[in-house]
Structure formats: structure tokens, C-alpha cells
Amino acid sequence: MNIEEVDSRLREGVPGGVLELHKGPYSPHLVVDAEKIREVCLFLRDDGALRFDYLTHLTGLDCGELLCTVYRALSLLHKRTVAMRAYVPREDPVIDTISDIWASAGWFEREAYDLLGIRYRGHADLRRLLLPEDWEGHPLRKDYVDPLRYQDIDNTRDYGI
Amino acid sequence: MKRIDEISMYQSLPDGVLVTNVDKLLSWGRLSSLWYLLFGLACCAIELMQTGGPRADLDRFGAVPRATPRQADLMIVAGTVTLKMAKRVKRLYEQMPEPKYVISMGSCANSGGLFAYAYSVLKGIDKVIPVDIYVPGCPPRPEALTEALLEIQKKIRKEKYLGRAEALETDGNE
Ligand code: SF4
């Protein structure tokens, strides 16, 4: 089963869930409706023909006006993967959590929240994962300005170049 | 005149007896058993392990790793220090008893190295703790780290420990 078949199966199972199918040579992926992300993921996991039982990867992207969450799920049974993207507006980047559908999403969502500030509604423990808790801002956003201080540490140095 | 005195004194001593002064003896004792804090932060730590291993064999200079700051004399900051870790490094340093020494190992600990423009990396460990010896390199070879240890030993050899301890007490310094 290739991505077209996953696409059509998903369109049957979750009407309106898939917005677009991207068939680029490098990373074919489905663009899914952020509002329906939970339905889509549940269907991917539980449908007999799909059985994507493992989420290998979840990450975030800054696409300017939009922030994006990228999901990649793996079916150990059928030995295939699928990639999905869900876009949320930059001003209010909220999307439902899928950490109760695939437990591995728990830390990934924390990481995406930490570095890009996407908020995952319903996540049991949405704290920063890598950066200290008192860190300000989300450094993988394109408009992030590097801090010159952290707490009482002056982090500037003249390299003379 | 003093020289003649000394010569005559040595001559009158039986074999196997040496004379020295207390400061020198203390310094010799300290420099011959430098226990370094067992911790590494990034790839430089791998080279630190090599230095402790059988080829470079830091042990032959009396330096052995110690897994607690409270019994360590020397801190070798081996690796990239993030801002998050900087607070912890400082706390480890503060837990070490005086007199204590710091070797900054590798470009990352010296200045941030190739991560100098990362938002989360400290631009040199000397921003948070005082450093005695900087070792350049990415990573420095075990020979370079061994030389840094020898430099620390030279430094200790010149120090007057008793005087230093008194001065620290009256200053009320850390
Ligand atoms: S100086 Fe080089 S080898 Fe050492 S921690 Fe930094 S990047 Fe790694």
C-alpha cells in the first residue's frame, strides 16, 4: 500500500480529515486538518488495513504565518510508514495532543512546545523538555533573538571577528 | 655564607635524610596527588578518558578521577557547557574544597568553540568559574591535557600553601 492508498482509505474513514496529498520525490506526506488530527490518528492506528501502531517521529516547523507539526507513523505489522503535517496559525498555535493515542508522542510534543511554542491541548504534562524551565521564548522560531544573558550569567564575548 | 652553611649541613647528615621546608613539602604532596573531578560534558570527555587510560596514563602523575566534588582538587571542564549546565558546573565548583584548580579543556569550554553562536551555549567557562589553564584543541590530544596537568603541578610547586590558607582565612574569601 502506497501513500495514495493510505490517502484514499483515510478520506473514506475520516471525511474532511485529509486536505491535500503531497507527492514530492523526497518526502510524500498528507496535509491533515488540524481540527481533526485526533480522528485521523485514531483511524490510522485502529483501522485494520492501516494499523499504524507506532509513532516514530513528531517534530515542528516554522513556516512563517503558520506553524506546523510533522508526524511520522510506522506500521510494524504492514511494514510501512506515513508522514503527515498539520498547520496551525502562528498567533494561536494550538492543536490537540495525540500523546494518549501514541505514548511516544508525549516527549516529542514537549520538545515541539519547548522549541517552537506549539501548544498541545490535552497533554498531561506540557512543560519544556530540553531548555531550563525559566527560559524565555521558543528558539527554533525564525524571529527568535538570541539572549545575551541567562539569569546572572553574562553570555557575551568579543571574538574580534 | 648561607650556601656554605647548607653545604656543611648536608654533609653532616647521614644517608637517606633530606632537608626541605614545610611549604615545599606540602606543595610536593599536593601536586603529587591531584584528584580530578570525574565528569565530562561532551566529546572532549572521550579524550579525557583516553588521558586517564593506559597510553597517556595520567595516573603516573598521581592524578586519579574522583567521583565527588567534595574530595576533588582539580576540575577538568571537558566539553560544551550549555547555559543550563553552567549553573550546575558552578555548583560543583563551589562544592570543591580549597585549594582548587580548573583546567578548561577544548575550544568549547574555552570560548564556546564551534557552538559559540548557539543560543543555548555558554561562551566560555570563565564566565562562571575562574580558570587556571586553558587547553586549545577540538578536542585536545591526551598529550595536551597531560601538559596542562604538568602546568598545574608547576603552579602548585610555586605556591606557598600555608601562607595562602592564612590569607584566605583573613580575607574571608571563598
Ligand atoms: S572542543 Fe570540540 S571535541 Fe571538545 S567538546 Fe567542543 S566540539 Fe567536542
Side-chain angles (χ1 to χ4, degrees):
Chain A
M1 191 188 265
N2 54 25
I3 187 131
E4 281 97 358
E5 286 163 297
V6 175
D7 179 38
S8 52
R9 181 89 193 139
L10 254 181
R11 280 178 204 264
E12 282 166 32
V14 188
V18 180
L19 302 178
E20 216 180 313
L21 167 64
H22 260 264
K23 282 201 285 189
Y26 302 117
S27 85
H29 62 269
L30 306 167
V31 178
V32 300
D33 186 356
E35 295 294 317
K36 299 220 166 108
I37 187 68
R38 286 186 60 83
E39 290 165 55
V40 169
C41 290
L42 276 171
F43 187 76
L44 280 178
R45 188 188 68 178
D46 295 337
D47 182 64
L50 297 172
R51 281 261 182 269
F52 286 97
D53 43 13
Y54 178 48
L55 183 84
T56 50
H57 189 73
L58 183 158
T59 187
L61 285 178
D62 182 349
C63 307
E65 293 292 290
L66 300 168
L67 297 179
C68 162
T69 307
V70 184
Y71 305 85
R72 183 175 283 275
L74 168 74
S75 168
L76 292 166
L77 185 69
H78 298 304
K79 299 193 173 46
R80 73 172 83 94
T81 68
V82 66
M84 297 183 294
R85 288 185 176 195
Y87 293 92
V88 287
R90 190 188 196 84
E91 301 85 61
D92 186 26
V94 183
I95 187 167
D96 281 326
T97 182
I98 57 155
S99 56
D100 52 335
I101 300 174
W102 288 299
S104 62
W107 280 13
F108 288 142
E109 287 184 347
R110 279 181 64 188
E111 187 190 26
Y113 162 71
D114 189 358
L115 301 178
L116 282 148
I118 303 172
R119 295 196 300 284
Y120 293 88
R121 197 191 295 126
H123 192 291
D125 183 26
L126 194 64
R127 285 175 298 131
R128 286 185 182 276
L129 180 67
L130 302 168
L131 291 165
E133 282 181 12
D134 59 353
W135 195 269
E136 280 169 22
H138 302 285
L140 290 195
R141 287 199 182 185
K142 304 276 187 204
D143 57 359
Y144 181 76
V145 182
D146 291 2
L148 300 178
R149 296 190 70 79
Y150 171 64
Q151 294 188 1
D152 55 346
I153 304 169
D154 160 40
N155 199 25
T156 55
R157 183 182 283 270
D158 183 7
Y159 293 105
I161 45 173
Chain B
M1 192 175 111
K2 193 177 165 218
R3 195 163 286 272
I4 298 167
D5 276 0
E6 276 175 8
I7 291 166
S8 57
M9 186 170 70
Y10 283 133
Q11 282 170 344
S12 66
L13 287 172
D15 282 355
V17 176
L18 297 170
V19 289
T20 178
N21 61 44
V22 179
D23 263 329
K24 276 191 185 149
L25 183 68
L26 279 176
S27 295
W28 173 79
R30 287 193 303 124
L31 72 87
S32 307
S33 118
L34 271 175
W35 288 4
Y36 58 92
L37 183 56
L38 182 63
F39 89 119
L41 300 175
C43 13
C44 270
I46 304 294
E47 218 66 2
L48 169 65
M49 292 173 222
Q50 294 309 307
T51 318
R55 269 172 192 264
D57 192 9
L58 215 52
D59 204 354
R60 70 197 144 131
F61 305 110
V64 288
R66 191 69 181 153
T68 163
R70 290 169 198 273
Q71 292 165 355
D73 310 297
L74 172 65
M75 174 183 257
I76 301 176
V77 184
T80 319
V81 188
T82 59
L83 289 166
K84 191 177 180 179
M85 193 65 198
K87 310 289 284 184
R88 280 112 178 127
V89 173
K90 185 158 188 240
R91 173 167 294 189
L92 285 172
Y93 177 78
E94 282 163 358
Q95 287 179 351
M96 287 165 57
E98 285 281 353
K100 52 193 168 187
Y101 305 88
V102 176
I103 292 176
S104 164
M105 179 186 182
S107 307
C108 285
N110 293 346
S111 69
L114 74 157
F115 307 109
Y117 294 114
Y119 58 86
S120 56
V121 172
L122 184 70
K123 292 179 171 56
I125 190 65
D126 51 10
K127 294 271 177 203
V128 286
I129 56 174
V131 175
D132 294 274
I133 306 281
Y134 297 85
V135 191
C138 179
R141 290 184 59 89
E143 293 88 322
L145 187 60
T146 307
E147 177 165 7
L149 186 94
L150 296 179
E151 288 298 324
I152 291 273
Q153 291 190 332
K154 269 189 212 160
K155 186 169 179 166
I156 297 175
R157 201 184 291 278
K158 283 188 221 134
E159 269 174 5
K160 291 208 186 309
Y161 176 60
L162 293 174
R164 180 179 158 145
E166 258 166 38
L168 285 174
E169 251 167 45
T170 46
D171 281 7
N173 267 343
E174 41 171 57

